[in-house]
Amino acid sequence: MELFGKFLVFFLVYGTLHYLFSERKRKTREGQIQPRKRAIVRTAASAALAGIVFIILMEVIEIF
């Protein structure tokens, strides 16, 4: 349960920062800002992948 809690906290913090500083301003090929739904989906996918890597490095390999 502690592992899931760490993942959830990392997911929320990283996802929020990633959305605010990266995805919110990303533009489409036409030069318009991407729709909010697409930005949230991309942020969730990035945060999930980063969370998995974080958990692997922190718990499995025990680097930190």
Side-chain angles (χ1 to χ4, degrees):
M1 196 66 179
E2 181 182 348
L3 188 63
F4 181 71
K6 288 180 183 180
F7 174 79
L8 188 60
V9 169
F10 183 85
F11 180 83
L12 291 174
V13 171
Y14 181 84
T16 301
L17 294 175
H18 183 73
Y19 176 77
L20 288 175
F21 293 112
S22 180
E23 289 299 327
R24 189 171 56 138
K25 299 179 271 186
R26 187 181 299 263
K27 297 189 178 190
T28 61
R29 294 180 186 170
E30 293 82 29
Q32 298 175 345
I33 295 176
Q34 69 179 343
R36 182 176 292 160
K37 183 178 178 182
R38 185 183 307 161
I40 291 172
V41 169
R42 288 174 59 111
T43 299
S46 298
L49 183 63
I52 291 169
V53 171
F54 172 74
I55 293 300
I56 289 172
L57 290 176
M58 187 170 174
E59 296 295 328
V60 176
I61 301 177
E62 296 183 14
I63 288 179
F64 298 113

Coordinates of all heavy atoms in Angstrom, one line a residue:
M1 N 0.8 -1.2 0.0 CA 0.0 0.0 0.0 C 0.9 1.3 0.0 O 0.5 2.2 -0.6 CB -0.9 0.0 1.2 CG -2.0 0.9 1.2 SD -3.1 0.3 -0.2 CE -4.3 1.5 -0.1
E2 N 2.0 1.2 0.7 CA 2.9 2.3 0.7 C 3.5 2.6 -0.7 O 3.6 3.8 -1.1 CB 4.1 2.1 1.7 CG 5.0 3.2 1.8 CD 6.2 2.9 2.7 OE1 6.2 1.9 3.4 OE2 7.2 3.7 2.7
L3 N 3.7 1.6 -1.4 CA 4.3 1.7 -2.8 C 3.2 2.4 -3.7 O 3.6 3.3 -4.5 CB 4.6 0.3 -3.3 CG 5.3 0.3 -4.7 CD1 6.7 1.0 -4.6 CD2 5.5 -1.1 -5.1
F4 N 2.0 2.0 -3.6 CA 0.9 2.7 -4.3 C 0.8 4.1 -3.9 O 0.5 5.0 -4.8 CB -0.4 1.9 -4.1 CG -1.5 2.5 -4.9 CD1 -1.6 2.4 -6.3 CD2 -2.5 3.2 -4.3 CE1 -2.6 3.0 -7.0 CE2 -3.6 3.8 -5.0 CZ -3.6 3.7 -6.4
G5 N 0.9 4.4 -2.7 CA 0.8 5.8 -2.2 C 1.9 6.7 -2.8 O 1.7 7.8 -3.2
K6 N 3.1 6.1 -2.8 CA 4.2 6.9 -3.4 C 4.0 7.1 -4.9 O 4.3 8.2 -5.4 CB 5.6 6.1 -3.2 CG 6.1 6.1 -1.8 CD 7.3 5.3 -1.7 CE 7.8 5.2 -0.2 NZ 9.1 4.5 -0.1
F7 N 3.5 6.1 -5.5 CA 3.2 6.3 -7.0 C 2.2 7.3 -7.2 O 2.3 8.2 -8.1 CB 2.8 4.9 -7.6 CG 2.3 5.1 -9.0 CD1 3.3 5.1 -10.0 CD2 1.0 5.1 -9.3 CE1 2.9 5.3 -11.3 CE2 0.6 5.2 -10.6 CZ 1.5 5.3 -11.7
L8 N 1.1 7.3 -6.4 CA 0.0 8.2 -6.5 C 0.5 9.7 -6.3 O 0.1 10.6 -7.1 CB -1.1 7.9 -5.6 CG -2.4 8.7 -5.8 CD1 -3.0 8.5 -7.2 CD2 -3.4 8.2 -4.7
V9 N 1.3 9.9 -5.3 CA 1.8 11.2 -5.0 C 2.7 11.7 -6.1 O 2.6 12.8 -6.6 CB 2.6 11.3 -3.6 CG1 3.3 12.6 -3.5 CG2 1.6 11.1 -2.5
F10 N 3.6 10.8 -6.6 CA 4.5 11.2 -7.7 C 3.7 11.5 -8.9 O 3.9 12.5 -9.6 CB 5.5 10.1 -8.0 CG 6.4 10.4 -9.1 CD1 7.6 11.1 -8.8 CD2 6.2 10.1 -10.4 CE1 8.5 11.5 -9.8 CE2 7.1 10.4 -11.4 CZ 8.2 11.1 -11.1
F11 N 2.7 10.7 -9.2 CA 1.8 10.8 -10.4 C 1.1 12.2 -10.4 O 1.1 12.9 -11.4 CB 0.8 9.7 -10.5 CG -0.2 9.8 -11.6 CD1 0.2 9.3 -12.9 CD2 -1.4 10.3 -11.5 CE1 -0.6 9.3 -13.9 CE2 -2.3 10.4 -12.5 CZ -1.9 9.9 -13.8
L12 N 0.5 12.5 -9.2 CA -0.2 13.8 -9.1 C 0.8 15.0 -9.2 O 0.5 16.0 -9.9 CB -1.0 13.9 -7.8 CG -2.2 12.9 -7.8 CD1 -2.8 12.9 -6.4 CD2 -3.2 13.2 -8.8
V13 N 1.9 15.0 -8.5 CA 2.8 16.1 -8.6 C 3.4 16.3 -9.9 O 3.4 17.3 -10.5 CB 3.9 16.0 -7.5 CG1 5.0 17.0 -7.6 CG2 3.2 16.1 -6.1
Y14 N 4.0 15.2 -10.5 CA 4.6 15.2 -11.8 C 3.6 15.6 -12.9 O 3.9 16.4 -13.7 CB 5.3 13.9 -12.1 CG 6.0 13.9 -13.5 CD1 7.3 14.4 -13.6 CD2 5.3 13.4 -14.6 CE1 7.9 14.4 -14.8 CE2 6.0 13.4 -15.8 CZ 7.2 13.9 -15.9 OH 7.9 13.9 -17.1
G15 N 2.4 15.0 -12.8 CA 1.4 15.3 -13.8 C 1.0 16.7 -13.8 O 0.8 17.4 -14.8
T16 N 0.8 17.3 -12.6 CA 0.4 18.7 -12.5 C 1.5 19.6 -13.1 O 1.2 20.5 -13.9 CB 0.1 19.1 -11.0 OG1 -0.9 18.2 -10.5 CG2 -0.3 20.5 -10.9
L17 N 2.7 19.4 -12.7 CA 3.8 20.2 -13.2 C 4.0 20.1 -14.7 O 4.2 21.0 -15.4 CB 5.1 19.9 -12.4 CG 5.1 20.3 -11.0 CD1 6.3 19.8 -10.3 CD2 4.9 21.8 -10.8
H18 N 3.9 18.8 -15.2 CA 4.0 18.6 -16.6 C 2.9 19.3 -17.4 O 3.2 19.9 -18.5 CB 4.0 17.1 -16.9 CG 4.2 16.7 -18.3 ND1 5.4 16.8 -18.9 CD2 3.4 16.3 -19.2 CE1 5.4 16.4 -20.1 NE2 4.1 16.1 -20.4
Y19 N 1.7 19.2 -16.9 CA 0.6 19.9 -17.6 C 0.8 21.4 -17.6 O 0.7 22.1 -18.6 CB -0.7 19.6 -16.9 CG -1.9 20.3 -17.6 CD1 -2.4 19.9 -18.8 CD2 -2.4 21.4 -16.9 CE1 -3.5 20.6 -19.4 CE2 -3.5 22.1 -17.5 CZ -4.0 21.7 -18.7 OH -5.0 22.4 -19.3
L20 N 1.2 22.0 -16.4 CA 1.3 23.4 -16.3 C 2.4 24.0 -17.2 O 2.3 25.1 -17.8 CB 1.5 23.8 -14.9 CG 0.2 23.7 -14.0 CD1 0.6 24.0 -12.5 CD2 -0.9 24.6 -14.5
F21 N 3.5 23.3 -17.2 CA 4.7 23.9 -17.9 C 5.0 23.3 -19.3 O 5.8 23.9 -20.0 CB 5.9 23.6 -17.0 CG 5.9 24.4 -15.7 CD1 5.7 23.8 -14.5 CD2 5.9 25.8 -15.7 CE1 5.7 24.5 -13.3 CE2 5.9 26.5 -14.6 CZ 5.8 25.9 -13.4
S22 N 4.3 22.3 -19.7 CA 4.6 21.7 -21.0 C 3.3 21.5 -21.9 O 3.3 22.1 -23.0 CB 5.3 20.4 -20.8 OG 5.6 19.8 -22.0
E23 N 2.4 20.7 -21.5 CA 1.3 20.3 -22.3 C 0.3 21.4 -22.6 O -0.3 21.5 -23.7 CB 0.6 19.1 -21.8 CG 1.4 17.8 -21.8 CD 1.7 17.4 -23.2 OE1 0.9 17.7 -24.2 OE2 2.8 16.8 -23.4
R24 N 0.1 22.3 -21.6 CA -0.9 23.3 -21.8 C -0.6 24.3 -22.9 O -1.4 24.8 -23.6 CB -1.0 24.1 -20.5 CG -2.1 25.1 -20.4 CD -2.2 25.6 -19.0 NE -0.9 26.2 -18.6 CZ -0.8 27.3 -17.9 NH1 -1.9 28.0 -17.6 NH2 0.3 27.8 -17.6
K25 N 0.7 24.4 -23.2 CA 1.2 25.4 -24.3 C 1.5 24.7 -25.6 O 1.8 25.4 -26.6 CB 2.4 26.2 -23.8 CG 2.1 27.0 -22.5 CD 3.3 27.7 -22.1 CE 4.1 26.8 -21.1 NZ 5.2 27.4 -20.5
R26 N 1.5 23.4 -25.6 CA 1.8 22.7 -26.9 C 0.9 23.0 -28.0 O -0.3 23.1 -27.8 CB 1.9 21.2 -26.6 CG 2.4 20.4 -27.8 CD 2.4 18.9 -27.5 NE 3.2 18.5 -26.4 CZ 4.4 18.1 -26.4 NH1 5.0 17.9 -27.6 NH2 5.1 17.8 -25.3
K27 N 1.5 23.2 -29.2 CA 0.6 23.5 -30.4 C 0.5 22.3 -31.3 O 1.4 21.5 -31.4 CB 1.2 24.7 -31.1 CG 1.3 25.9 -30.2 CD 1.7 27.2 -30.9 CE 1.6 28.3 -29.9 NZ 1.7 29.6 -30.6
T28 N -0.6 22.3 -32.1 CA -0.8 21.3 -33.1 C 0.0 21.7 -34.3 O 0.7 22.7 -34.4 CB -2.3 21.2 -33.4 OG1 -2.7 22.4 -33.9 CG2 -3.1 20.8 -32.2
R29 N -0.2 20.8 -35.3 CA 0.5 21.1 -36.6 C 0.0 22.4 -37.3 O 0.7 23.0 -38.0 CB 0.3 19.9 -37.6 CG 1.0 18.7 -37.1 CD 0.8 17.6 -38.1 NE 1.4 16.3 -37.5 CZ 1.2 15.1 -38.0 NH1 0.4 15.0 -39.1 NH2 1.7 14.1 -37.4
E30 N -1.2 22.7 -37.0 CA -1.8 23.9 -37.6 C -1.4 25.2 -36.9 O -1.8 26.3 -37.3 CB -3.4 23.8 -37.6 CG -3.9 22.7 -38.6 CD -3.9 21.4 -38.0 OE1 -4.0 21.2 -36.7 OE2 -3.7 20.4 -38.7
G31 N -0.7 25.1 -35.8 CA -0.3 26.2 -35.0 C -1.2 26.6 -33.9 O -1.0 27.6 -33.2
Q32 N -2.3 25.9 -33.7 CA -3.2 26.2 -32.6 C -2.9 25.4 -31.4 O -2.3 24.4 -31.5 CB -4.7 25.9 -33.0 CG -5.1 26.7 -34.2 CD -6.5 26.2 -34.7 OE1 -7.0 25.2 -34.3 NE2 -7.1 27.0 -35.5
I33 N -3.3 26.0 -30.2 CA -3.0 25.3 -29.0 C -3.9 24.0 -29.0 O -5.1 24.0 -29.3 CB -3.3 26.2 -27.8 CG1 -2.4 27.3 -27.8 CG2 -3.3 25.4 -26.5 CD1 -2.6 28.3 -26.7
Q34 N -3.3 22.9 -28.5 CA -4.1 21.6 -28.6 C -5.2 21.6 -27.6 O -5.2 22.4 -26.6 CB -3.1 20.5 -28.2 CG -2.7 20.4 -26.8 CD -1.8 19.2 -26.5 OE1 -1.7 18.3 -27.3 NE2 -1.0 19.3 -25.5
P35 N -6.3 20.8 -27.9 CA -7.4 20.8 -27.0 C -7.0 20.3 -25.6 O -6.1 19.5 -25.4 CB -8.3 19.7 -27.7 CG -7.9 19.6 -29.1 CD -6.4 20.0 -29.1
R36 N -7.8 20.7 -24.6 CA -7.5 20.4 -23.2 C -7.6 18.9 -23.0 O -6.8 18.3 -22.2 CB -8.5 21.1 -22.3 CG -8.3 20.8 -20.8 CD -9.2 21.6 -20.0 NE -8.8 23.0 -20.1 CZ -9.6 24.0 -19.8 NH1 -10.8 23.8 -19.3 NH2 -9.2 25.2 -19.9
K37 N -8.5 18.2 -23.6 CA -8.7 16.7 -23.4 C -7.4 16.0 -23.9 O -6.9 15.1 -23.2 CB -9.9 16.2 -24.2 CG -10.2 14.8 -24.0 CD -11.4 14.3 -24.8 CE -11.6 12.8 -24.6 NZ -12.8 12.4 -25.4
R38 N -6.9 16.4 -25.0 CA -5.7 15.8 -25.5 C -4.5 16.1 -24.6 O -3.6 15.2 -24.4 CB -5.3 16.3 -26.9 CG -4.1 15.5 -27.5 CD -3.8 16.0 -28.9 NE -4.9 16.0 -29.8 CZ -4.9 16.8 -30.9 NH1 -3.8 17.5 -31.2 NH2 -5.9 16.7 -31.7
A39 N -4.4 17.3 -24.1 CA -3.3 17.6 -23.2 C -3.4 16.8 -21.9 O -2.4 16.4 -21.4 CB -3.4 19.1 -22.9
I40 N -4.6 16.6 -21.4 CA -4.7 15.8 -20.1 C -4.4 14.4 -20.4 O -3.7 13.7 -19.5 CB -6.2 16.0 -19.6 CG1 -6.3 17.4 -19.1 CG2 -6.4 15.0 -18.5 CD1 -7.7 17.8 -18.6
V41 N -4.8 13.8 -21.5 CA -4.5 12.4 -21.8 C -3.0 12.2 -22.0 O -2.4 11.3 -21.4 CB -5.2 11.9 -23.1 CG1 -4.7 10.6 -23.6 CG2 -6.7 11.8 -22.8
R42 N -2.3 13.2 -22.7 CA -0.9 13.1 -22.9 C -0.1 13.2 -21.5 O 0.8 12.6 -21.3 CB -0.4 14.2 -23.8 CG -0.8 13.9 -25.3 CD -0.4 15.0 -26.2 NE 1.0 15.3 -26.1 CZ 1.9 15.1 -27.1 NH1 1.4 14.7 -28.2 NH2 3.1 15.4 -27.0
T43 N -0.7 14.1 -20.7 CA -0.1 14.3 -19.4 C -0.2 13.1 -18.5 O 0.8 12.7 -17.8 CB -0.7 15.5 -18.7 OG1 -0.5 16.7 -19.4 CG2 -0.2 15.7 -17.3
A44 N -1.4 12.5 -18.5 CA -1.6 11.2 -17.7 C -0.7 10.1 -18.2 O -0.1 9.4 -17.4 CB -3.0 10.8 -17.8
A45 N -0.5 10.0 -19.5 CA 0.4 8.9 -20.0 C 1.8 9.2 -19.6 O 2.5 8.3 -19.2 CB 0.2 8.9 -21.5
S46 N 2.3 10.4 -19.7 CA 3.6 10.8 -19.3 C 3.9 10.6 -17.9 O 4.9 10.1 -17.4 CB 3.9 12.2 -19.7 OG 3.8 12.4 -21.1
A47 N 2.9 11.0 -17.0 CA 3.0 10.9 -15.6 C 3.0 9.4 -15.2 O 3.8 9.0 -14.3 CB 1.9 11.6 -14.9
A48 N 2.2 8.6 -15.8 CA 2.2 7.1 -15.5 C 3.5 6.5 -15.8 O 4.1 5.7 -15.0 CB 1.1 6.5 -16.2
L49 N 4.1 6.8 -17.0 CA 5.4 6.2 -17.4 C 6.5 6.7 -16.5 O 7.3 5.9 -16.0 CB 5.7 6.6 -18.8 CG 7.0 6.0 -19.4 CD1 6.9 4.5 -19.4 CD2 7.2 6.6 -20.8
A50 N 6.5 8.0 -16.1 CA 7.5 8.5 -15.2 C 7.3 7.9 -13.8 O 8.3 7.7 -13.1 CB 7.4 10.1 -15.2
G51 N 6.1 7.7 -13.4 CA 5.8 7.1 -12.1 C 6.4 5.7 -12.0 O 6.9 5.3 -11.0
I52 N 6.2 4.9 -13.1 CA 6.7 3.6 -13.1 C 8.2 3.5 -13.0 O 8.8 2.8 -12.3 CB 6.2 2.8 -14.4 CG1 4.7 2.6 -14.3 CG2 6.9 1.5 -14.6 CD1 4.1 2.1 -15.6
V53 N 8.9 4.4 -13.8 CA 10.3 4.5 -13.7 C 10.8 4.9 -12.3 O 11.7 4.4 -11.8 CB 10.8 5.5 -14.8 CG1 12.3 5.8 -14.6 CG2 10.6 4.9 -16.2
F54 N 10.1 5.9 -11.7 CA 10.4 6.3 -10.4 C 10.3 5.2 -9.4 O 11.2 5.0 -8.6 CB 9.4 7.5 -10.0 CG 9.6 7.9 -8.6 CD1 10.6 8.6 -8.1 CD2 8.6 7.6 -7.7 CE1 10.7 9.0 -6.8 CE2 8.7 8.0 -6.3 CZ 9.7 8.7 -5.9
I55 N 9.2 4.4 -9.4 CA 9.1 3.3 -8.5 C 10.1 2.3 -8.7 O 10.7 1.7 -7.8 CB 7.6 2.7 -8.6 CG1 6.6 3.7 -8.2 CG2 7.5 1.4 -7.9 CD1 6.7 4.2 -6.7
I56 N 10.4 2.0 -10.0 CA 11.5 1.0 -10.3 C 12.8 1.4 -9.7 O 13.5 0.7 -9.0 CB 11.6 0.7 -11.8 CG1 10.4 -0.1 -12.2 CG2 12.9 0.0 -12.1 CD1 10.3 -0.2 -13.7
L57 N 13.2 2.7 -9.9 CA 14.5 3.2 -9.4 C 14.5 3.3 -7.9 O 15.5 3.0 -7.3 CB 14.8 4.6 -10.0 CG 15.1 4.6 -11.5 CD1 15.3 6.0 -11.9 CD2 16.3 3.8 -11.8
M58 N 13.4 3.7 -7.3 CA 13.3 3.9 -5.9 C 13.2 2.6 -5.1 O 13.9 2.4 -4.1 CB 12.2 4.8 -5.5 CG 12.1 5.2 -4.1 SD 10.9 6.5 -3.9 CE 11.0 6.7 -2.1
E59 N 12.4 1.7 -5.5 CA 12.1 0.5 -4.7 C 12.8 -0.7 -5.2 O 13.3 -1.5 -4.3 CB 10.6 0.2 -4.7 CG 9.8 1.3 -4.1 CD 10.0 1.4 -2.6 OE1 10.3 0.4 -1.9 OE2 9.9 2.5 -2.1
V60 N 12.8 -1.0 -6.4 CA 13.4 -2.2 -6.9 C 15.0 -2.1 -6.9 O 15.6 -3.0 -6.4 CB 12.9 -2.5 -8.3 CG1 13.6 -3.8 -8.9 CG2 11.4 -2.7 -8.3
I61 N 15.5 -1.1 -7.5 CA 16.9 -1.0 -7.6 C 17.5 -0.3 -6.3 O 18.7 -0.4 -6.1 CB 17.3 -0.2 -8.9 CG1 16.8 -0.9 -10.1 CG2 18.8 0.0 -9.0 CD1 17.0 -0.2 -11.4
E62 N 16.7 0.4 -5.6 CA 17.1 1.1 -4.4 C 18.2 2.1 -4.6 O 19.2 2.0 -3.8 CB 17.3 0.1 -3.3 CG 16.1 -0.7 -2.9 CD 16.4 -1.6 -1.7 OE1 17.4 -1.4 -1.1 OE2 15.6 -2.5 -1.5
I63 N 18.1 2.9 -5.6 CA 19.2 3.9 -5.8 C 19.1 5.0 -4.8 O 20.1 5.5 -4.3 CB 19.1 4.4 -7.3 CG1 19.5 3.3 -8.2 CG2 19.9 5.7 -7.5 CD1 19.5 3.7 -9.7
F64 N 17.9 5.5 -4.5 CA 17.7 6.6 -3.7 C 17.6 6.2 -2.2 O 16.9 5.6 -1.7 CB 16.4 7.4 -4.1 CG 16.5 7.9 -5.5 CD1 15.7 7.4 -6.4 CD2 17.4 8.9 -5.8 CE1 15.8 7.9 -7.7 CE2 17.5 9.4 -7.1 CZ 16.7 8.9 -8.1

